[in-house]
Amino acid sequence: GAGVQVVGARELRKSMRAAGDQMQDLRSLHLRLADDVADTARTLVPVRTGRLQRSIRGAGTKTFAAVRAGNNRARGVPYAPVIHFGWARRGIKPQPFLYEALDERRQEVIEIYNAEVRSLVKRF
């Protein structure tokens, strides 16, 4: 898989709610990490017109971070999944730029996440 699983995240969120619900801090952290990976993905994505590259964006909530590419209201790019995952019947090879970006930044993401979570825990 391409994701990063954080063991104990549910327990951390429960403890944080009990300590005054400082979930905004996690949302900011998740967005920051997603934006970092999105920045890398923009350097790895194949570019013809630049529309797909411009559609790459990070998202963060109190429970997850995500990097998305493709459809959104302002810059619809319906072919993003075809570029990323390929389409064997049409001879289009996968170019998994999102997965590659996470792989490239994985250790950094883990280190920043661990440091920030430790800092949050110390406050409680």
Side-chain angles (χ1 to χ4, degrees):
V4 175
Q5 182 177 5
V6 179
V7 177
R10 181 178 294 155
E11 292 80 5
L12 172 64
R13 290 191 303 268
K14 183 177 177 183
S15 296
M16 289 179 71
R17 275 193 299 276
D21 202 14
Q22 298 294 324
M23 299 304 284
Q24 188 62 30
D25 292 336
L26 274 179
R27 181 190 177 282
S28 297
L29 172 61
H30 290 152
L31 180 58
R32 174 181 153 206
L33 295 173
D35 283 343
D36 288 349
V37 174
D39 288 345
T40 299
R42 282 186 212 96
T43 70
L44 300 173
V45 67
V47 178
R48 282 193 187 170
T49 66
R51 286 181 67 206
L52 178 56
Q53 185 181 45
R54 287 189 301 274
S55 78
I56 298 170
R57 64 212 176 275
T61 73
K62 64 185 179 181
T63 58
F64 72 89
V67 178
R68 298 182 175 120
N71 288 333
N72 67 23
R73 289 184 190 142
R75 300 177 296 257
V77 185
Y79 52 84
V82 173
I83 300 299
H84 190 269
F85 295 109
W87 190 356
R89 283 213 257 148
R90 300 281 173 121
I92 300 171
K93 293 184 180 185
Q95 299 180 70
F97 55 92
L98 295 174
Y99 293 167
E100 290 169 1
L102 179 58
D103 287 345
E104 200 171 295
R105 304 289 296 260
R106 183 180 308 270
Q107 191 58 41
E108 176 188 358
V109 166
I110 290 168
E111 288 170 9
I112 292 170
Y113 193 88
N114 283 338
E116 293 295 323
V117 168
R118 280 190 195 102
S119 176
L120 288 172
V121 169
K122 284 181 184 177
R123 285 196 244 159
F124 304 113

